[in-house]
Amino acid sequence: MTHKLSLHVEMEAAREKVKTGEWKLRKYTNRKSKVWETFAKITKDDDQSAGFVMCTSCDAIYTFDSHKTGTTNMARHKCGPGNPSQPNRAASGQPRPQTIDAFMRPNHTKIPLQVKSKFVDYCVDFCCTDLRPFDIVSGEGFTKVAQGLINIGARYGSVDANGVLPHRQTVCDRAKKQAMVEKEALSEVLKSAVHDNGGVAITTDMWTDDFNRRSYTVLTCHYITEDWKLASRVMCTVEFDYTLPKTAINIHEHINEQLCSYGISFDQVVLVSDQGSNIKAALKNYHWIPCAAHVLNTILKHTFSGFDIEEVTKMIDVCKGIVKYLKKSQCTALPHGLVQECETRWNSKIDMLKSVSKQYREINELLESRGQSERTEGIYQNTLTTVIDYLEPFKKASEELQGEDYPTLQLVDAADVGLTNELKRYLAAHFTLDDCDEDRLLEFWERQAPTFPRLRALARRILCVHIQLRRSCHRGEKKPSQPRDG
């Protein structure tokens, strides 16, 4: 079987060389056998026989040695004139038959349920034996490997898997080789983008593997292609030398080494990162822009660490405690799943609060049935809704700013410029204290829609949240506060 597989590999190599013109097809015109009407001999560049012949109608390949083999197999070939069941297709005007490649294309044949169930068992054994996550079977790479094995089986029959699967070192060496080829190609693209197509932006981030205590840096490049499409490519994910402190100088040298490997420098790119003090210091002498999504996340982090909203932060902690308790108890009685807040995951706070608010009544009933109703103390549904409404614009903005297939810089600039212009007009209007009296503050901003739409929207969000938070955080308060004198 191994010899048969090796022979087929040689045939495919011969076919490819014929396609590229490295080897030639030579017709026999003085041979008596009619098979040579549809077959041609494959010759090397020195006009010596390659040991194969090819059908000129369907590109099928057979081994051939004039001293050892005859033409019987060629005569039985479906395109050959020696096959009585197949007339000369060229003369009859019939279409050429499909090649073997046509049978290797994926089709929509319905696989029996028993076969699919058996394959599920194979997948389970694979994950358990090799200690791989279950979602590996839904990955694009696994699908390609599976399709490749199916194609090999369709072409060569039931072969021994050990004769097909490569050694791990072979895979490693091939990966390094392909990585170098891809890196060289990307390097040329980036050089062209820097010099001809306007420029390149680099986003960078660092993180630490808590298990191995190793730090890594990722660099991603963003550029406009010649046909004006926004493209993003990961340049590298490299380990930061664990023996070195993460100072600005060391980070600068670390990133500079990676940029130089692509033939570009700091001065040729725009750099985007979070606002960590060390990364800011490392890139301060170049064109550096803080990540807008990180800025929004930092704003919210400082907002919810304030001392004047202790009731709100307590409510959030209570929600986290409820989610932790129900998840730990593997609760399945709720109609929807609960989401836990993760400090390093953007928008996880609002996702958690939404998951609690959406099934607030069911959670109360469930905890009461378990004798755990005290766990909901500190949660007020009005406050919960208010905080969610406050966080919603931040969630929407951060999601829009994270887009990879469309430009996002103008989203920040446009909002900033528009708001700045309105602020200038607002200050130039010289409003008096009577115009903005506290008791008529909402009425004042209600009238500003035509003149200051951005400031009005901002005031509506801020003033609304401020008032509702102050009023709804106190359970015993039932009447609205009275206006202050003066």
Side-chain angles (χ1 to χ4, degrees), residues 317-331 338-341 352 356 375:
D317 289 339
V318 171
C319 288
K320 292 172 65 175
I322 291 176
V323 172
K324 181 179 179 180
Y325 166 73
L326 293 177
K327 279 185 170 291
K328 188 175 182 179
S329 62
Q330 298 182 346
C331 173
L338 291 171
V339 179
Q340 183 60 283
E341 179 186 11
M352 178 193 68
V356 173
R375 290 183 177 274

Side-chain angles (χ1 to χ4, degrees), residues 14 43 123 150 157 164 172 250 422 426 450 456 482:
T43 60
C123 291
I150 290 172
V164 178
C172 178
N250 291 334
E422 282 194 16
Y426 177 81
R456 178 177 177 271
Q482 298 297 322

